[in-house]
Amino acid sequence: MIAKQDFTLIGAGIMSATLGVLLKQLMPDAKISIYERLDKVGAESSDAWNNAGTGHSAFCELNYTPENEDGQVDISKALKISESFEVSKQLWAYLVKNNLLPANDPFINDIDHMSFVWGDENIDFLKKRHTALTAYPIFKDMLHSENFEEIREWVPLMMTGRNKDQKVGATRMPIGTDVNFGTITRGMIAYLQSCDGVEVFLGHQVEDIDDRKDGTWEIEVKDLHTNEEKTIHSNFVFIGAGGGALKLLEKSDIPEADGYGGFPVSGQFLKCNNQDVILQHEAKVYGMAEVGAPPMSVPHLDTRMLNGERSLLFGPYAGFSTKFLKNGSYFDLPLSIDAHNIFPMLRAGLHNLSLTKYLIEQVVQSPEERFKALEKYYPNAKIEDWELITAGQRVQIIKKDAKEGGVLKFGTEIVTNKNKTIAALLGASPGASTSVSIMLSVLNECFPMQVKSKAWQQKLTQMIPSLGRSLITDEKLCLSTRDYTTAILKLEDK
């Protein structure tokens, strides 16, 4: 017997969970099936140990504000990301307020977001960045200092043992957050499982996706525990499988997928095992990427709340694996190469030889070399207090480009077919933090008429009060929205 669904979501991570929640709130009678290859929800990129846990709001991430050739700091990406995170907080607040996420399992905590630099050129950049950002209400509360003693008050662990003659600069946003995206994901999936018409299948792998003459999709799924295979017919398919999305998109054979490839990058962190040290630092501090390093390699010294315990991590250190998922296969990369994407991938490789060199250098680093990077942020660090852990796997987008032949993109991208009956999310950062805005984009692109309807607009505005208005330019709206989410998510009490 062939099962029939309105919506099929592939992957039980933050993206599918978010889209599922939005769809079920907008269409209570919708039949939704979610298929996950692993036996646990949110166990890949959404898991707390597999990402930085930063509520990416561009408060501290310097790679979101590049300096142009004319010396001006481009803050356009930072403004968009900051607004997107505020949108995410609104949906989470709605779910908490309506008891759709468990209140006894905190998933978000307030933690200062800081940027920290040294050297005249970097200090000058940070000052210009602060001036540009604080012109907007969404960054209004950002503090800036080049005073050694003031910065010591903010982050004593980083300043103790540092040469006082070293010129340093820092910015600080007290309303930053640490987020456990795994907990959010599992909470949203648990809510969906409680709804009529929603089924979640763990340990199930999608083997094939084919379009049917009637415009629907035929999906072949295998139960990895019993080896039983079944067929599903679905009106709409969303591929939110993280690093596995590219291979699944290729199975759909839609022409819009032609030319897309993927470049996998793994991440490692140093984890502190000394509780006395952990308690001396309470901030997420991001620095400048090393010369030649890719944007996602920005070093940061992070306070984390993981499984109810406070932790301290430093990294990332880039690694390389041909896997597209942490629990994937070493054949993922070679098997993803096909006639449609081999030229863009080769061209992107030629344009990014410095990245290849950087990754090789990172992979062959000794423990002592990795530790030297930590000492730049924590001068009195002791190597015996830290252990190396492996975080998640990311797949950066490679796509066709008329001018370059192929380009490597550091971001996310939605790929849909012309009928808007299938959508796939490719790419990585900032990912989870902007998941709600990304899924709203999926709704806008694939269901434009419904989104414009009065019923959907009313429901969407209930979930996201700022919908259709700018949190970037409207100061009153920005501040009231933050007050609203802060109160419901209890960020001031943590």
Side-chain angles (χ1 to χ4, degrees), residues 12-14 36 40-48 50 182 185-186 189:
I14 186 75
E36 168 57 50
K40 184 179 178 182
V41 168
E44 271 285 348
S45 296
S46 301
D47 187 73
N50 292 339
T185 301
R186 287 183 279 276
I189 294 291

Side-chain angles (χ1 to χ4, degrees), residues 87-300:
V87 168
S88 291
K89 286 197 295 181
Q90 288 176 69
L91 178 63
W92 301 338
Y94 169 83
L95 296 175
V96 170
K97 183 179 179 180
N98 290 276
N99 299 313
L100 304 180
L101 277 179
N104 61 346
D105 197 1
F107 57 82
I108 185 168
N109 293 277
D110 68 318
I111 187 76
D112 287 3
H113 278 199
M114 292 180 57
S115 300
F116 181 83
V117 300
W118 56 85
D120 291 337
E121 188 175 330
N122 290 338
I123 290 171
D124 181 59
F125 161 75
L126 190 66
K127 189 172 184 178
K128 287 193 292 185
R129 177 182 184 271
H130 174 261
T131 300
L133 289 174
T134 51
Y136 291 85
I138 205 163
F139 289 97
K140 183 180 178 181
D141 296 330
M142 181 180 284
L143 306 174
H144 174 265
S145 180
E146 295 173 19
N147 183 286
F148 193 99
E149 292 303 322
E150 183 175 26
I151 298 173
R152 185 203 292 272
E153 291 179 6
W154 295 350
V155 279
L157 188 78
M158 294 177 59
M159 303 304 285
T160 302
R162 188 176 298 275
N163 186 340
K164 289 188 176 182
D165 292 332
Q166 184 184 31
K167 292 182 178 180
V168 294
T171 56
R172 177 189 178 198
M173 279 290 275
I175 61 169
T177 55
D178 175 67
V179 186
N180 189 322
F181 292 106
T183 298
I184 298 176
T185 301
R186 287 183 279 276
M188 288 195 289
I189 294 291
Y191 154 67
L192 288 170
Q193 287 178 298
S194 72
C195 298
D196 291 337
V198 178
E199 293 183 285
V200 179
F201 300 91
L202 302 180
H204 281 66
Q205 180 167 289
V206 173
E207 300 286 343
D208 204 5
I209 306 171
D210 292 307
D211 59 333
R212 305 177 70 235
K213 291 181 179 180
D214 63 359
T216 62
W217 293 91
E218 182 169 293
I219 306 165
E220 301 295 332
V221 181
K222 181 179 181 180
D223 186 325
L224 297 178
H225 296 288
T226 65
N227 288 324
E228 179 185 355
E229 296 185 356
K230 58 182 176 181
T231 301
I232 301 101
H233 288 172
S234 185
N235 295 330
F236 180 84
V237 178
F238 173 68
I239 304 174
L246 178 63
K247 292 197 300 179
L248 290 166
L249 179 61
E250 289 179 335
K251 291 178 184 292
S252 72
D253 290 325
I254 63 171
E256 291 82 1
D258 287 351
Y260 279 96
F263 184 79
V265 178
S266 63
Q268 296 177 312
F269 284 85
L270 287 175
K271 175 180 177 287
C272 184
N273 293 318
N274 186 327
Q275 193 63 29
D276 290 337
V277 173
I278 293 170
L279 294 176
Q280 292 176 53
H281 185 77
E282 192 170 353
K284 287 181 172 292
V285 184
Y286 278 57
M288 298 284 288
E290 297 289 336
V291 176
M296 71 282 193
S297 67
V298 174
H300 40 97

Side-chain angles (χ1 to χ4, degrees), residues 8-11 15-16 19 209 217 236-254 256-257 260 397 411-417 420-428 438-439 441-443 445-446:
T8 298
L9 314 180
I10 305 174
M15 297 298 175
S16 290
L19 182 59
I209 306 171
W217 293 91
F236 180 84
V237 178
F238 173 68
I239 304 174
L246 178 63
K247 292 197 300 179
L248 290 166
L249 179 61
E250 289 179 335
K251 291 178 184 292
S252 72
D253 290 325
I254 63 171
E256 291 82 1
Y260 279 96
I397 303 168
T412 54
E413 191 159 323
I414 300 166
V415 181
T416 63
N417 66 334
K420 309 302 181 183
T421 57
I422 188 169
L425 182 69
L426 304 180
I438 294 172
M439 292 304 100
S441 295
V442 171
L443 294 180
E445 188 163 346
C446 298

Side-chain angles (χ1 to χ4, degrees), residues 344-382:
M345 291 181 73
L346 288 172
R347 293 296 297 172
L350 288 173
H351 291 305
N352 289 277
L353 293 175
S354 60
L355 174 58
T356 304
K357 178 176 178 290
Y358 169 80
L359 290 174
I360 293 172
E361 291 172 346
Q362 288 275 293
V363 170
V364 301
Q365 269 190 326
S366 67
E368 291 74 20
E369 288 172 321
R370 279 191 287 265
F371 187 69
K372 286 180 181 178
L374 170 61
E375 287 182 308
K376 293 177 182 178
Y377 290 84
Y378 172 23
N380 286 348
K382 296 179 180 178

Side-chain angles (χ1 to χ4, degrees), residues 48-74:
W49 285 105
N50 292 339
N51 59 65
T54 303
H56 285 299
S57 42
F59 295 156
C60 56
E61 306 92 331
L62 300 178
N63 54 309
Y64 295 156
T65 51
E67 188 171 10
N68 296 328
E69 291 182 1
D70 62 2
Q72 298 297 309
V73 178
D74 183 356

